[in-house]
Amino acid sequence: MKRYVLALDFGASSGRAMLACYDGNSIKLQEVHRFVNTPIEKDGNLYWDVPQLMQELETGLQKAYAIAPFESIGIDTWGVDYGMLDKDGKLMGNPPHYRDKRSEGYSERLCAQMTSETLYARTGTQIMDINTLFQLMSQRDDEGFSGCHKMLLMPDLFAYLLTGTISAERSIASTTQMLSAKTGTWDTSLLDAQNIPASLMPAIVESGTEKGVLSQEVQQRLSLPPIRVTAVCGHDTQCASFAAPAKTDKHIFLSCGTWSLFGTQCDSPILTPQAANLGLSNEIGYGKTVTFLKNIIGLWLIQESRREFERQGQHYSYAEIEALATHNLSTPCAIDPDDPCFVAPGDIPGRVQDFCRKTGQPIPQTPGAIFRCIYESLAMKYRTALEELERCTGETYPVIHLVGGGTKDRLLCQLTADFCQRPVVAGPIEATIYGNAAIQLLSIGAIASPQAARACIANSETLKTYTPGKFPELHYRMFQNMIKQEK
């Protein structure tokens, strides 16, 4: 008997609704709706267009149900961003975008009150200005919390708009810098110290539990029955991590999309000063597993460079970008992908050139040279993250499972294998969707265990292995020295 669930995946630049059909052995995915996620600008600030996104979500529900009567809906999104509800349950304006500059400098302000090591030991989260805690500190100083009743992170907000149920799924809550790494509950004393009302925080629920069913209003408007909404791992990274078809416990997963998430699974959080200083993060996945990882800017650099060249009248497909970079033989140069200058939208190619000029390197002159610089810099950043993870855990990881959109980029996969000197197993491309669907299937009893779910995912895809070539040691040492000088 075939079982159907609907996976809704909201990325930072696009979203899709995908129908997943489980036949007892494998999962077949069918894309039913895809849409662009374009932020809106108002008075110099960036926001997420929630009304438009909800319209797209509901279109996806209707299209999918016309194909097959699915039993469950699961929603995953990017991390850290949130919307505010008033006491009547109404959304108080569009949620701010994490690339908005309103929270810049707030991590430094807090770490002037307590050391970064202390904050990290409490929350286990990499300290970044975009984190929810610092966004809330910015809101406190700007418009305050008058009239605010509850804060909902993005997947929880979409689920609320479908069901009317208020809660916070654990994996997305672990991105906020407000969850205690030791107790798994909101760190209310941290919130109190920053004059952020702890009452704004919803009750935490586990991934794989039921959020609720479609409200009567939604049922009537969309002509749908009372379908269950399941709390999958609300953070897309944790859905992708769950889907990595690893055959060994010791492995690295690399979820490669707009962001790169490079990490491994541990039995418990690693809260040492060393981990704090290296900018590593402890997130919570399905079954309260701990994912120890590094957040790295990813293919955003390629995506935004492509958009900039389009603005200049030069149009490249992603296949053409890969070919240009593959055949570029100019003098190597490198950037730090995580330098703050690369965060905001705009002229990334120009910033790459400025960075190389500032650091005394050869300046890439052609699109191919710029793209090659970005690709190699990402691969070298992955090598650095691998070394940091192994130092903190004391383990050696024999394989990297690269999942997500980056699996389509053969050059990046091979460069990752070369610089990390580990075989790279690429696939599945739709890891986030597979993880989302598999958690739903576990929740409704169609699949018996997480191990069975991963085996099912492996049966559903053809994976490709990239064998390490020669290690470009001189280029990597140059990269390391450049990073040290920047710091």
Side-chain angles (χ1 to χ4, degrees):
M1 179 181 174
K2 294 181 178 179
R3 307 284 295 271
Y4 291 89
V5 297
L6 183 66
L8 295 162
D9 172 44
F10 290 82
S13 57
S14 65
R16 59 264 177 87
M18 296 189 76
L19 191 63
C21 175
Y22 174 62
D23 63 7
N25 180 62
S26 63
I27 299 172
K28 182 179 180 181
L29 302 179
Q30 180 180 355
E31 183 178 299
V32 297
H33 187 54
R34 180 178 287 267
F35 50 92
V36 174
N37 184 1
T38 304
I40 54 179
E41 186 172 348
K42 181 181 179 183
D43 299 328
N45 296 110
L46 281 178
Y47 300 89
W48 298 106
D49 191 350
V50 166
Q52 178 62 32
L53 292 175
M54 277 303 298
Q55 185 176 331
E56 301 288 3
L57 184 157
E58 293 182 353
T59 298
L61 263 61
Q62 290 178 306
K63 286 184 176 180
Y65 206 79
I67 297 170
F70 51 87
E71 302 175 55
S72 170
I73 300 162
I75 305 168
D76 66 77
T77 76
W78 63 96
V80 307
D81 287 337
Y82 66 91
M84 281 289 184
L85 303 182
D86 65 17
K87 62 181 178 60
D88 296 320
K90 302 297 184 182
L91 181 63
M92 299 174 66
N94 277 318
H97 192 296
Y98 66 84
R99 292 194 190 278
D100 185 80
K101 296 182 178 181
R102 68 182 188 140
S103 57
E104 281 187 359
Y106 273 88
S107 63
E108 291 184 10
R109 295 191 196 186
L110 181 53
C111 290
Q113 302 171 28
M114 66 172 69
T115 66
S116 58
E117 289 84 0
T118 299
L119 178 59
Y120 185 84
R122 292 177 69 153
T123 66
T125 306
Q126 180 182 0
I127 299 171
M128 298 186 292
D129 280 339
I130 65 173
N131 291 349
T132 318
L133 173 62
F134 306 120
Q135 293 196 46
L136 286 169
M137 289 171 63
S138 170
Q139 179 174 339
R140 173 201 65 196
D141 292 346
D142 188 6
E143 67 265 33
F145 301 109
S146 176
C148 297
H149 174 62
K150 289 295 177 184
M151 178 212 75
L152 286 179
L153 297 154
M154 296 306 293
D156 302 317
L157 175 60
F158 291 128
Y160 165 76
L161 294 173
L162 288 177
T163 67
T165 301
I166 295 174
S167 62
E169 185 276 326
R170 184 173 296 281
S171 76
I172 199 73
S174 72
T175 71
T176 63
Q177 199 107 52
M178 299 187 297
L179 202 66
S180 168
K182 295 180 179 177
T183 67
T185 58
W186 296 114
D187 190 334
T188 54
S189 62
L190 176 62
L191 295 171
D192 290 343
Q194 298 308 314
N195 295 316
I196 298 170
S199 61
L200 293 175
M201 305 302 132
I204 295 171
V205 300
E206 306 302 332
S207 56
T209 58
E210 182 178 325
K211 277 272 193 182
V213 298
L214 297 183
S215 67
Q216 289 189 348
E217 178 189 350
V218 172
Q219 291 176 48
Q220 292 171 0
R221 187 170 67 252
L222 304 183
S223 299
L224 292 173
I227 302 169
R228 164 197 177 111
V229 176
T230 300
V232 298
C233 287
H235 192 202
D236 50 11
T237 299
Q238 295 307 319
C239 281
S241 171
F242 182 81
K247 296 180 180 179
T248 60
D249 290 337
K250 293 181 182 179
H251 66 276
I252 293 290
F253 79 89
L254 169 53
S255 177
C256 186
T258 300
W259 284 84
S260 293
L261 293 304
F262 191 102
T264 190
Q265 290 194 341
C266 299
D267 295 331
S268 58
I270 297 177
L271 305 173
T272 61
Q274 181 186 41
N277 292 332
L278 291 173
L280 295 163
S281 197
N282 296 269
E283 291 188 11
I284 309 301
Y286 181 81
K288 295 187 179 180
T289 56
V290 176
T291 304
F292 189 51
L293 58 81
K294 187 71 171 277
N295 290 282
I296 302 167
I297 285 184
L299 292 175
W300 155 259
L301 296 170
I302 296 293
Q303 296 161 355
E304 189 62 16
S305 293
R306 179 174 179 254
R307 284 188 282 268
E308 177 59 26
F309 282 123
E310 285 181 347
R311 289 189 283 267
Q312 297 175 10
Q314 302 177 70
H315 299 274
Y316 301 108
S317 68
Y318 286 113
E320 288 170 333
I321 288 172
E322 183 183 352
L324 285 171
T326 300
H327 296 110
N328 179 77
L329 300 176
S330 60
T331 305
C333 56
I335 60 169
D336 179 359
D338 291 320
D339 189 279
C341 73
F342 298 117
V343 172
D347 185 8
I348 297 295
R351 295 176 205 167
V352 168
Q353 292 174 321
D354 289 343
F355 188 96
C356 292
R357 183 181 298 110
K358 183 179 68 172
T359 51
Q361 301 179 75
I363 301 170
Q365 299 295 334
T366 66
I370 291 169
F371 288 129
R372 180 78 183 204
C373 175
I374 292 171
Y375 277 127
E376 291 188 346
S377 299
L378 286 172
M380 288 188 281
K381 195 75 174 184
Y382 299 156
R383 167 73 185 229
T384 301
L386 174 63
E387 292 175 348
E388 292 172 350
L389 286 168
E390 291 187 338
R391 286 206 302 274
C392 287
T393 63
E395 301 283 359
T396 299
Y397 301 100
V399 63
I400 297 171
H401 283 272
L402 194 155
V403 300
T407 61
K408 295 183 286 188
D409 202 315
R410 294 168 296 178
L411 176 61
L412 181 59
C413 292
Q414 188 60 58
L415 287 172
T416 301
D418 293 345
F419 278 101
C420 292
Q421 287 295 287
R422 302 287 193 279
V424 170
V425 180
I429 295 172
E430 297 291 1
T432 301
I433 296 292
Y434 275 117
N436 180 318
I439 291 170
Q440 292 185 71
L441 291 164
L442 280 164
S443 183
I444 64 175
I447 295 179
S449 68
Q451 295 75 18
R454 292 189 182 96
C456 174
I457 292 168
N459 291 338
S460 307
E461 287 283 323
T462 301
L463 309 178
K464 181 174 174 57
T465 299
Y466 292 83
T467 303
K470 183 179 179 181
F471 176 39
E473 185 171 2
L474 289 177
H475 193 16
Y476 181 60
R477 299 308 166 204
M478 179 204 75
F479 173 80
Q480 286 187 309
N481 290 334
M482 180 266 294
I483 296 290
K484 289 177 183 177
Q485 291 171 6
E486 279 294 292
K487 291 181 178 179

